[in-house]
Amino acid sequence: MSKRLILAASLALSLSACATAIPPVEVTRFHIGNPARSGTIAVEEMRGNPDVSLEFRTYAAAVAQEWQRVGFTPVSAGETSDYVASVAFRRSFRPSGVDRGSDRPVSVGVGGGIGSGGFSGMGVGVGINLSGKPKDIVTTELHVQLRRRADSTMIWEGRALTEAREGTPAAQPGLAAQKLSAALIEGYPGESGRTITVK
C-alpha cells in the first residue's frame, strides 16, 4: 500500500473519530401557535444567569448566529429590536467511575521458594498504578427565551443539554456552545412540548 493511501486512510479514520466524539444533545422546546419567523433581534443575558463572563459571551454569540440562520436580523447599534432572546447556561460536574486516587501509586511484592534440587529463588514484582482519578462528566445546559419586546410576551422557549467527559473537546465551552445552540434553534420553532435527541 502506498504512503499516500495510508495517509488518506489515517485521515479518514481521525475525521470519523472526531465526528463521533461529539455527544448527542437533548432538546425541548415550547411555543404557542405560530411564532414569529423574522424581525430584528437582540441577544441578552437572562435575569438570574450566574455567569456574565467571556464564557457567557461565547454562548450568546453562538445563539445570535443561529437566530440569524433561521431568519432573524441582528439589531443595529443604537436601535430597539423587535425581539429579545434571553440566554442562560449552566455547567455542572459529577464523578464518573471508581475513584482510585487513594490507591497507593506503587506496590512491591516479594516471593521466594526452595526448589526440589535444594536451589533457592527469589522474585520481586513491582506494580505501578497510573490510572489516577477518573475524569468528571460535564453537563452543559443552554436555556433560551424569545420575547416580543413591545409587550414582553414570551413566544418561544427552549432548553438543550449535553454531557461530555471533562478534558475532551466536546466539554470545551466553544464547541459546547455551538453544538447546543445549533441543536436548539435549528428547525425553529420545532414541535412544542416534545423532547428530542439531536446527534
Side-chain angles (χ1 to χ4, degrees), residues 55-116:
E55 190 172 354
F56 171 77
R57 291 193 291 274
T58 300
Y59 282 86
V63 167
Q65 183 178 26
E66 293 305 319
W67 281 123
Q68 196 170 352
R69 283 187 206 275
V70 296
F72 289 86
T73 307
V75 67
S76 301
E79 293 187 3
T80 302
S81 64
D82 300 323
Y83 300 94
V84 177
S86 301
V87 176
F89 79 94
R90 182 179 63 182
R91 285 164 58 88
S92 57
F93 300 82
R94 78 169 192 276
S96 67
V98 179
D99 185 358
R100 301 182 60 97
S102 60
D103 289 357
R104 291 184 302 174
V106 178
S107 59
V108 179
V110 179
I114 299 177
S116 59

Side-chain angles (χ1 to χ4, degrees), residues 104-168:
R104 291 184 302 174
V106 178
S107 59
V108 179
V110 179
I114 299 177
S116 59
F119 297 101
S120 64
M122 182 171 286
V124 177
V126 178
I128 301 175
N129 174 20
L130 299 175
S131 60
K133 182 180 177 183
K135 297 287 188 182
D136 288 344
I137 298 297
V138 182
T139 302
T140 309
E141 182 178 354
L142 176 66
H143 183 198
V144 180
Q145 295 177 337
L146 184 63
R147 296 179 182 273
R148 190 165 47 232
R149 189 180 287 277
D151 57 8
S152 294
T153 300
M154 185 161 60
I155 62 173
W156 183 92
E157 180 177 15
R159 291 179 185 269
L161 180 145
T162 190
E163 293 185 337
R165 193 171 297 279
E166 187 179 14
T168 62

Side-chain angles (χ1 to χ4, degrees), residues 1-54:
M1 187 181 287
S2 72
K3 289 182 180 178
R4 192 172 292 175
L5 284 175
I6 293 172
L7 181 62
S10 299
L11 183 60
L13 285 172
S14 64
L15 288 176
S16 65
C18 288
T20 57
I22 306 298
V25 178
E26 187 178 284
V27 172
T28 308
R29 297 174 277 206
F30 298 94
H31 58 85
I32 297 174
N34 187 22
R37 304 297 183 108
S38 62
T40 57
I41 192 168
V43 176
E44 300 177 357
E45 173 208 3
M46 188 177 293
R47 185 175 297 171
N49 184 59
D51 184 12
V52 185
S53 62
L54 180 61

